[in-house]
Amino acid sequence: MQGVDIRPLKQRLRAEIKDWRRAMTPEKKQAADARILRRVTGLHEYASCGTVLTYVSKPIEVDTIALIERALADGKRVAAPRCVEGRREMEFFLIHSLEDLAAQTFGVLEPVRERCVLLEDFEGSICIVPALAYDRRGYRLGYGAGYYDRFLSQYTGPKIGVIYAHNLRPRLWHGRYDVPVDLIVTESRLLCCVPAGNRRRMQNR
C-alpha cells in the first residue's frame, strides 16, 4: 500500500501552532513562561546538573532568556547552539552572559564563536529541547530543519522538552530515527516520558 505523504500535514500543524502562539497576549505568555521556568528549575535533573544546554528563544517560543540568566546565577555552565556553516548540524558553545550572543542563522541569537568555547564533553548536562508541539510519548514537531534531531541522536543526557500545554498533543507523527525527550514541562504539568527506573538511571549519569 502506498504511503501517505505527511509533510503537508506537518506544515499545516506548524502553521496552526505558530498562529496560536502569535495570538497569545503578552500577559498570558509571560505567566506561562514563568510557571514553566519554576517547574524546570525545580527538577532534580536541573538541581544535579553542572551544565545546561538550551536554545535561545524566539518571540513565539517558550522563553529561555530567564532560564539562561537563572542558570548562570545558580553557578551552572550554560551552552547555547550554533549552526555549523554548510551542514545541517549544530554545536554548543559555553556562554557567560547574553552579551556573548548575536543574531545569526534564521535571525536566531547564537554564540559568537570568538568569545565562546566549544563544549565537547556533555557529561553532567541536561538539554532543554525546543518544539512547536510534543506528544505524550515525548516525540516532537520541530521547525523541519532537523538540527535538533541530529544532535539528540548522539546525546545521552536528560532531554527536557518545554511547551505550552495547548501545544501538547495525544500523538504526533514520528520516524524510526526520531528521539523522544525524557520529560515534558508545561505551565500546568510535568510529564515523564520514560519509565521510572529509566529516569532514575538517567538522573545518576
Side-chain angles (χ1 to χ4, degrees):
M1 184 172 64
Q2 188 174 13
V4 176
D5 186 357
I6 64 172
R7 288 174 295 182
L9 301 176
K10 285 186 172 183
Q11 286 299 98
R12 189 178 309 131
L13 182 56
R14 287 186 179 106
E16 290 174 2
I17 292 172
K18 288 177 183 179
D19 288 343
W20 180 87
R21 289 187 180 184
R22 292 188 185 104
M24 290 179 74
T25 65
E27 294 79 14
K28 181 178 179 180
K29 185 179 189 304
Q30 185 177 14
D33 288 340
R35 287 194 291 269
I36 291 172
L37 174 63
R38 286 196 297 270
R39 288 180 181 274
V40 169
T41 55
L43 291 172
H44 170 81
E45 286 81 0
Y46 175 85
S48 61
C49 81
T51 305
V52 177
L53 314 181
T54 181
Y55 69 99
V56 183
S57 55
K58 296 183 289 188
I60 66 168
E61 294 179 310
V62 172
D63 175 61
T64 60
I65 301 300
L67 173 62
I68 290 170
E69 294 177 326
R70 168 67 182 273
L72 290 170
D74 286 342
K76 299 184 185 297
R77 300 194 304 172
V78 175
R82 180 182 173 92
C83 296
V84 178
E85 189 173 352
R87 303 203 303 267
R88 287 200 170 186
E89 298 177 2
M90 62 185 187
E91 299 172 323
F92 279 83
F93 286 80
L94 292 168
I95 63 172
H96 299 96
S97 75
L98 298 176
E99 299 299 316
D100 289 336
L101 303 171
Q104 302 290 338
T105 310
F106 306 120
V108 177
L109 291 174
E110 297 183 358
V112 177
R113 188 186 298 274
E114 293 74 21
R115 300 182 197 168
C116 305
V117 175
L118 176 66
L119 181 63
E120 299 181 278
D121 183 0
F122 297 103
E123 184 176 356
S125 70
I126 62 173
C127 185
I128 307 299
V129 184
L132 287 167
Y134 279 104
D135 71 15
R136 298 178 185 278
R137 298 167 300 166
Y139 290 105
R140 59 189 286 272
L141 176 70
Y143 290 86
Y147 288 96
Y148 265 90
D149 295 325
R150 289 175 179 83
F151 175 75
L152 293 177
S153 68
Q154 304 294 323
Y155 180 73
T156 59
K159 298 172 285 292
I160 302 170
V162 290
I163 200 78
Y164 299 116
H166 184 83
N167 302 145
L168 184 62
R169 303 301 166 102
R171 195 173 185 90
L172 290 171
W173 312 277
H174 71 277
R176 70 172 68 179
Y177 300 114
D178 289 343
V179 179
V181 295
D182 304 297
L183 299 169
I184 297 172
V185 179
T186 79
E187 70 273 27
S188 59
R189 66 178 297 188
L190 169 66
L191 182 64
C192 185
C193 306
V194 297
N198 289 356
R199 187 182 176 196
R200 284 194 293 272
R201 288 193 291 271
M202 175 181 68
Q203 292 169 349
N204 291 328
R205 283 175 181 162

